[in-house]
Amino acid sequence: MRLRINGQLMEASALTVAELLRELGIEPRAVAVEVNLSIVPKKDYQVFRLKEGDTVEIVSFVGGG
Amino acid sequence: MREQVQTIKEQDTLVIGGVEFSSRLWVGTGKYRSYEEMARALEASGTDVVTVAVRRVDFKARENLLQYIDPKRYKILPNTAGCYTVEEALRYARLGREAGLSNLIKLEVIGDEKTLFPDVCGLLKATEILAKEGFIVMPYTNDDPVVAKRLVDAGAACVMPLGAPIGSGLGIRNPYNIKIILESVNVPVVVDAGVGTASDATVAMELGCDAVLINTGIAQARDPVAMAEAMKHAVLAGRMAYKAGRIPKKLYATASSPLEGMLL
């Protein structure tokens, strides 16, 4: 399905947040995931189902002051 | 009992919102020339708390910041840098909490691109909302004692007045206001922004500030690792001088050597 991930339209086969992170090769430990402006808690990654056209933001920590 | 009090005093631990900080020098992780250099600077600084920003994951990046920061050693303090509205700051704060699984937030609501001065109206609003959500809110604010008081009323766990604009290295431009802030609020005061060299950090600590947060002053120094170590000593020296109690300033001289016993 087509998702907008971090501003880019991408084709993903993942059905859940956990699968999407795996597909993108992202370690879920230190990220936060937002789907359509709502934060998905880490405990829900396995069960939270994505749907066509969802806007996904995956953020983590970078250097800052 | 007395002995116990003494020990606590000697340890000189800083506590904010129930979280203990062993170091009074806090260090930012931005603007280093490499992650490796940053890691060595953090080590040399002796800090136990580092600030970080919340940004989109770069899927192509081969390495990331967290590979260089041991979470057992450093408390991670996410910021809301780059946020110009209350809504944006709230969003970044909540994402930072989810990513780091900690309630600490260095709250920034910026009001002006050129000076990066805080928008204190937005800052007050965001502080109030986040404090109610259980965050330990550490707002980056102006050197304005009235605003500092209002932030505490809104639920701030400490206040972080700027010494000078972010990244300017101009030092503590208004030490008298910082002093008034220290006398106005009953929460820790952490000078955030403006510290350019060791003496600036010492000035902040001699005033009685509880800690100093430095990023550019270390990261952009010619030798960040050496500067980090200098800042460590500067903060310790300032803290010790503050606790030792300086002599009052006087206009005229008072001799250190006795007049008695001089040859006639």
Side-chain angles (χ1 to χ4, degrees):
Chain A
M1 79 186 118
R2 270 154 75 85
L3 301 168
R4 185 172 287 278
I5 306 171
N6 286 4
Q8 286 183 326
L9 270 177
M10 289 167 87
E11 189 66 40
S13 57
L15 296 174
T16 65
V17 169
E19 284 172 24
L20 179 65
L21 292 176
R22 212 173 305 131
E23 196 174 322
L24 292 167
I26 294 166
E27 171 80 43
R29 191 176 56 90
V31 299
V33 178
E34 204 187 62
V35 178
N36 303 330
L37 296 176
S38 294
I39 290 174
V40 181
K42 282 196 168 67
K43 62 175 171 54
D44 295 344
Y45 285 0
Q46 301 285 345
V47 292
F48 192 99
R49 296 189 76 81
L50 296 162
K51 54 184 193 316
E52 177 74 27
D54 275 350
T55 298
V56 183
E57 294 288 349
I58 305 169
V59 301
S60 188
F61 296 135
V62 301
Chain B
M1 189 62 198
R2 206 199 143 121
E3 259 170 50
Q4 214 179 347
V5 170
Q6 204 75 33
T7 321
I8 291 165
K9 239 180 161 179
E10 272 161 25
Q11 282 174 345
D12 200 23
T13 306
L14 173 60
V15 181
I16 301 177
V19 179
E20 285 189 12
F21 298 88
S22 63
S23 170
R24 289 175 184 271
L25 169 58
W26 299 8
V27 184
T29 57
K31 301 203 273 194
Y32 289 87
R33 293 172 191 98
S34 69
Y35 284 134
E36 197 271 328
E37 184 178 66
M38 177 204 71
R40 284 192 295 127
L42 294 180
E43 168 101 40
S45 76
T47 193
D48 69 333
V49 56
V50 296
T51 57
V52 297
V54 177
R55 293 292 181 267
R56 281 173 167 168
V57 169
D58 177 1
F59 302 131
K60 294 188 195 88
R62 277 184 296 134
E63 49 179 14
N64 67 70
L65 177 73
L66 294 171
Q67 292 168 313
Y68 291 84
I69 295 172
D70 178 0
K72 285 191 207 84
R73 185 159 171 195
Y74 302 109
K75 281 180 264 296
I76 292 175
L77 175 54
N79 67 28
T80 61
C83 294
Y84 282 79
T85 65
V86 173
E87 290 68 31
E88 253 184 315
L90 297 177
R91 187 182 183 194
Y92 277 75
R94 290 164 184 154
L95 285 167
R97 169 155 77 178
E98 184 59 32
L101 299 174
S102 137
N103 289 326
L104 299 172
I105 188 73
K106 193 196 126 183
L107 183 62
E108 297 184 28
V109 182
I110 301 299
D112 174 57
E113 230 173 282
K114 203 165 175 182
T115 58
L116 296 179
F117 283 148
D119 168 358
V120 294
C121 301
L123 188 64
L124 278 166
K125 225 176 276 176
T127 296
E128 195 173 355
I129 294 167
L130 292 172
K132 280 194 186 128
E133 290 181 17
F135 281 88
I136 298 166
V137 184
M138 305 180 167
Y140 154 72
T141 182
N142 259 318
D143 56 6
D144 180 334
V146 177
V147 171
K149 271 206 273 193
R150 297 281 181 273
L151 286 167
V152 176
D153 293 342
C158 69
V159 288
M160 304 184 73
L162 52 85
I166 295 171
S168 70
L170 288 172
I172 314 300
R173 290 192 311 175
N174 197 341
Y176 304 104
N177 269 32
I178 301 287
K179 190 81 196 160
I180 296 171
I181 290 175
L182 283 159
E183 290 183 9
S184 308
V185 298
N186 54 2
V187 297
V189 176
V190 181
V191 161
D192 178 8
V195 171
T197 188
S199 53
D200 298 336
T202 306
V203 165
M205 295 307 292
E206 282 173 346
L207 285 167
C209 291
D210 296 276
V212 176
L213 169 56
I214 307 170
N215 190 345
T216 311
I218 292 174
Q220 293 285 295
R222 186 159 41 82
D223 183 343
V225 180
M227 187 57 91
E229 193 176 349
M231 292 298 190
K232 174 172 88 175
H233 294 302
V235 167
L236 280 172
R239 179 68 183 167
M240 287 177 79
Y242 168 71
K243 293 208 318 184
R246 60 153 301 147
I247 59 160
K249 290 180 184 177
K250 284 175 289 192
L251 192 56
Y252 293 99
T254 46
S256 301
S257 310
L259 291 173
E260 282 161 40
M262 286 194 75
L263 304 178
L264 291 173

